[in-house]
Amino acid sequence: MNRFYKSLSAGMLWSVLIFGGAIAFSACSKKSEQVLHLYNWTYYTPDSVIKAFEEKYQVKVVYDDFASNEDMFAKLMAGSKGYDLIVPSADYVSIMIKLNMLEHINVSKIPNIRYIRQSVRDRIGYDPAMAFSVPYYMGAAGIAVNTKEIPDYEQNWHIFEREDLKNRMTMMDDMREVLGAALAVSGYDINTANPVELEHAYRLVQEKWKPNLVKFDADGFAKSFASGDFLAVHGYAESVFAELQEDQLQYVDFFIPKGVHSALYIDSFCIPKGAPNPDLAHAFINFMLEPAVYAQFLDEFGFPASIHTEAEKYQTRQPHYTVNDLKDCVLKQDLGENLETYTGFWQSIRFTP
């Protein structure tokens, strides 16, 4: 669902004071000065943060959402215009840079970029100077287990091989995540182009994991886990914990398997070509990276301060996992010409009994 917020003032926006420095806007129309069009993942920016930005700069934020990188990319490729900011994942940032779909980032207008961890900068080889993208969040999917019903288990991907849990488990309906998990647990690179390694991962999923799953599920797994229908689910921590009641928390273990190179994602702010308000887009990026503001985002979703050096000091909520839990993970990269091979294996998994 789209979220729209009313601006608190109709006056012309002449200048704004950004945390860490003042930036003067030079937009060409009243409309562009007053509206920021943000195209982001569903419920990925807290309402409180958007409202604070609107109040500080006397603007209105129009928030459109997407459910997948593929949906976002297809919409922009089809010619959709008018967005000032988008938030693709790393592999799609790489694709969009190659296709000349992004405006350059002027880092001098984002002084709070200094808070981006060096360890994150070291991972973004597709845009090392942040010329086209600024990291928004780095995380990974994991596994949630109902410890009341499953008291004995190991914290690894092999849980999906357990026949005693047949029809009580799900994995994500996501090619890169599922094949990435199978590649990782087999000791392979999650971005491999080796057909033998991909065949091995395919067999693991098709023959050992899939027979024990209710389904591949990207939407309802969290609700079904909270209801007790599913006992072990592959997914994102924030989705799982959002559905749980307080008295259920003691019986839930969420973990990112250690010792294997599971899939990592980095979502980043990008300014699409032809954005009507690039200066306002820079201001929003800088605002989000203000430590106290960024901490609100982290607390909203139970995230660790994975990209930010200072926000942890302002957090009031214990995250669902730690930055250290991500250290073994490997960033999902643009597959390029190998995408077709991955898609072929995935289609076979999804549609072959």
Side-chain angles (χ1 to χ4, degrees):
M1 178 179 4
N2 296 337
R3 284 172 284 179
F4 300 87
Y5 298 100
K6 300 295 185 181
S7 101
L8 299 181
S9 171
M12 180 74 74
L13 179 60
W14 296 107
S15 62
V16 294
L17 180 64
I18 291 183
F19 291 114
I23 295 179
F25 291 125
S26 57
C28 60
S29 71
K30 182 177 180 180
K31 180 179 179 181
S32 65
E33 285 181 317
Q34 290 183 315
V35 181
L36 174 78
H37 291 271
L38 173 63
Y39 192 30
N40 198 356
W41 297 82
T42 306
Y43 305 121
Y44 203 26
T45 304
D47 294 351
S48 61
V49 170
I50 290 176
K51 288 181 179 179
F53 180 76
E54 290 178 322
E55 291 173 2
K56 182 173 182 61
Y57 303 124
Q58 295 295 284
V59 298
K60 174 177 151 182
V61 175
V62 175
Y63 190 120
D64 284 348
D65 59 47
F66 56 85
S68 69
N69 282 295
E70 291 77 11
D71 289 348
M72 175 275 303
F73 183 71
K75 186 172 182 179
L76 295 181
M77 283 294 287
S80 182
K81 304 290 185 183
Y83 293 117
D84 299 302
L85 272 179
I86 57 175
V87 189
S89 300
D91 49 343
Y92 275 81
V93 173
S94 178
I95 292 170
M96 296 174 83
I97 290 173
K98 293 174 183 176
L99 294 177
N100 195 31
M101 295 174 67
L102 304 176
E103 298 283 0
H104 276 84
I105 299 287
N106 185 342
V107 295
S108 69
K109 294 183 177 182
I110 310 174
N112 286 332
I113 209 168
R114 67 185 183 275
Y115 296 126
I116 302 294
R117 292 181 186 271
Q118 186 59 49
S119 59
V120 176
R121 298 184 186 210
D122 291 342
R123 291 181 184 262
I124 55 175
Y126 54 90
D127 188 21
M130 294 182 284
F132 296 96
S133 62
V134 176
Y136 179 60
Y137 182 69
M138 180 178 74
I143 302 170
V145 175
N146 182 327
T147 60
K148 186 176 183 180
E149 300 295 331
I150 311 177
D152 298 312
Y153 61 94
E154 295 183 359
Q155 289 184 325
N156 58 44
W157 293 111
H158 293 296
I159 193 169
F160 295 111
E161 298 175 27
R162 288 183 51 168
E163 295 181 2
D164 61 316
L165 300 177
K166 186 173 183 176
N167 295 325
R168 304 300 299 277
M169 301 187 293
T170 65
M171 294 191 75
M172 295 178 69
D173 190 3
D174 187 304
M175 175 182 76
R176 296 301 305 277
E177 289 290 344
V178 175
L179 285 175
L183 287 166
V185 78
S186 301
Y188 303 135
D189 182 355
I190 66 164
N191 300 298
T192 185
N194 187 318
V196 174
E197 295 174 350
L198 280 168
E199 174 75 22
H200 187 278
Y202 160 74
R203 292 294 175 192
L204 175 58
V205 177
Q206 180 71 10
E207 298 173 4
K208 298 291 185 67
W209 294 356
K210 182 180 173 181
N212 299 323
L213 305 178
V214 179
K215 57 182 176 179
F216 293 99
D217 184 3
D219 299 315
F221 69 90
K223 288 183 182 295
S224 295
F225 180 79
S227 70
D229 292 336
F230 302 161
L231 302 181
V233 296
H234 171 213
Y236 298 116
E238 61 272 21
S239 299
V240 171
F241 285 95
E243 298 295 337
L244 297 171
Q245 301 298 316
E246 189 69 29
D247 60 353
Q248 294 178 292
L249 298 178
Q250 61 182 313
Y251 300 116
V252 176
D253 177 28
F254 179 87
F255 61 89
I256 298 168
K258 294 181 174 62
V260 295
H261 300 306
S262 300
L264 181 83
Y265 66 87
I266 296 178
D267 297 327
S268 296
F269 284 121
C270 297
I271 302 175
K273 277 287 184 182
N277 276 313
D279 285 330
L280 192 55
H282 282 81
F284 189 84
I285 298 171
N286 195 66
F287 180 81
M288 275 298 310
L289 291 176
E290 181 67 24
V293 174
Y294 195 77
Q296 291 182 49
F297 160 66
L298 299 177
D299 282 343
E300 176 80 9
F301 298 104
F303 287 150
S306 60
I307 71 143
H308 206 287
T309 61
E310 301 298 318
E312 185 177 10
K313 300 173 184 177
Y314 297 87
Q315 285 185 258
T316 61
R317 180 183 177 187
Q318 185 73 22
H320 301 311
Y321 56 91
T322 69
V323 174
N324 191 57
D325 290 330
L326 302 173
K327 66 181 178 64
D328 293 327
C329 295
V330 173
L331 184 64
K332 290 181 286 186
Q333 298 175 0
D334 173 17
L335 295 173
E337 61 185 15
N338 299 310
L339 177 61
E340 186 175 346
T341 304
Y342 275 74
T343 301
F345 280 119
W346 182 242
Q347 292 298 319
S348 182
I349 289 169
R350 293 292 284 109
F351 301 111
T352 302

